[in-house]
Amino acid sequence: MRAYDPDLTPSWKRSAPVPEVPAEPDLVVEEVSTGFCGAVIGCEAGTVTLEDRFGKHRVFPLTPRGFLLEGRTVTLVRPSAGPSRPSRTASGSIAVPGARARVARAGRIYVEGRHDAELVERVWGDDLRIEGVVVEYLEGVDDLPAIVRDFGPGPDARLGVLVDHLVPGSKESRIAASVTDAHTLVVGHPYIDIWEAVKPSSVGIRAWPSVPHGQDWKTGVCRALGWPDNTGAAWQHILSKVTSYKDLEPELLGRVEELIDFVTG
């Protein structure tokens, strides 16, 4: 018979038990030894991968008492194999596995430029394909009333338009107000350029710089941030940092969702 070996460690020196928490996707924790804080994006046997708000990834072992959750010490464990949560698209919608793109609707969403179209595709592309909505770009809105007339909107062919810098008193606001077709919805965001609709923290900067009036805004941004004067390369860098709707400002999110609802309604 094995002798009983009591724990003679004083009670005040014993480690209090801590809760075990499944390392579910998007759970935000802090690794105690490094202070690295991020959201769980993957959990394999014995390790967890975290992503911080700048998009940096770190892999840590699932050691006991190795993480802080809302200030409390916890032990992360691998999630049990059970009913998986529904996956979501970049826009936050529930994904439809195996869904085929719908035949394109007669309705359209127009945006001002190529960068606008690429950003909308990046976040809402899956939703737009399922709904059969095509996004086209205009290269400016100066001729918007004529463009709307040429399109010929109707009950079964609604037109949604996203305008940059749609603020009171702007040229864009006057142009938008001149479009009165009942089957056309013109909305906009307050940013000078669609670049600003991407959260600075997602790009790894504190804020979008202020560019003097009369200077090309994109070029001014590149120079202020110390980037090469290559606005095309700068945009690709910015776009690569957008992985979901969480990387965009609410002022853009609401307007795009409104346009999709209008065109598909």
Side-chain angles (χ1 to χ4, degrees):
M1 183 175 179
R2 187 168 55 184
Y4 175 58
D5 184 16
D7 184 358
L8 299 179
T9 306
S11 60
W12 57 272
K13 283 189 176 182
R14 297 175 189 171
S15 296
V18 300
E20 292 187 347
V21 177
E24 299 283 0
D26 298 329
L27 180 73
V28 177
V29 295
E30 178 182 339
E31 203 277 329
V32 294
S33 64
T34 63
F36 185 90
C37 183
V40 174
I41 61 171
C43 186
E44 303 295 335
T47 64
V48 62
T49 303
L50 304 182
E51 180 183 59
D52 71 6
R53 64 191 183 96
F54 301 111
K56 184 178 180 180
H57 294 181
R58 291 279 299 274
V59 179
F60 297 101
L62 293 174
T63 54
R65 307 174 64 88
F67 299 87
L68 297 178
L69 174 62
E70 297 179 348
R72 297 183 305 133
T73 302
V74 299
T75 296
L76 286 188
V77 296
R78 190 175 184 183
S80 60
S84 59
R85 296 186 300 175
S87 60
R88 296 186 177 271
T89 66
S91 70
S93 301
I94 294 177
V96 183
R100 294 185 178 182
R102 177 174 174 168
V103 175
R105 295 173 182 265
R108 291 288 188 274
I109 291 177
Y110 284 171
V111 297
E112 286 206 45
R114 181 171 60 85
H115 293 180
D116 305 65
E118 289 177 344
L119 187 60
V120 169
E121 162 62 26
R122 182 127 183 139
V123 175
W124 288 275
D126 290 336
D127 307 74
L128 293 169
R129 279 183 285 278
I130 289 177
E131 294 292 346
V133 178
V134 175
V135 175
E136 300 180 8
Y137 61 90
L138 305 173
E139 292 295 355
V141 294
D142 289 350
D143 298 323
L144 184 58
I147 291 169
V148 172
R149 287 195 300 270
D150 290 344
F151 181 84
D156 297 321
R158 293 183 171 190
L159 178 62
V161 183
L162 180 69
V163 178
D164 296 344
H165 197 229
L166 191 61
V167 295
S170 66
K171 175 191 73 172
E172 291 82 0
S173 67
R174 293 190 293 272
I175 293 172
S178 69
V179 178
T180 58
D181 183 89
H183 303 294
T184 301
L185 176 64
V186 181
V187 300
H189 57 76
Y191 307 111
I192 295 174
D193 190 272
I194 198 69
W195 289 20
E196 276 192 298
V198 179
K199 290 180 178 178
S201 59
S202 296
V203 185
I205 59 177
R206 290 188 176 182
W208 290 105
S210 177
V211 177
H213 184 70
Q215 183 179 351
D216 178 73
W217 190 85
K218 291 187 177 76
T219 302
V221 166
C222 289
R223 291 174 179 172
L225 294 176
W227 295 351
D229 284 0
N230 184 334
T231 57
W235 169 243
Q236 291 306 312
H237 168 71
I238 296 167
L239 187 62
S240 71
K241 301 299 182 181
V242 177
T243 59
S244 78
Y245 71 96
K246 297 177 183 179
D247 297 306
L248 302 182
E249 299 288 0
E251 290 82 355
L252 176 66
L253 293 173
R255 302 294 74 76
V256 176
E257 297 284 353
E258 188 177 356
L259 290 177
I260 295 174
D261 288 344
F262 178 79
V263 172
T264 60

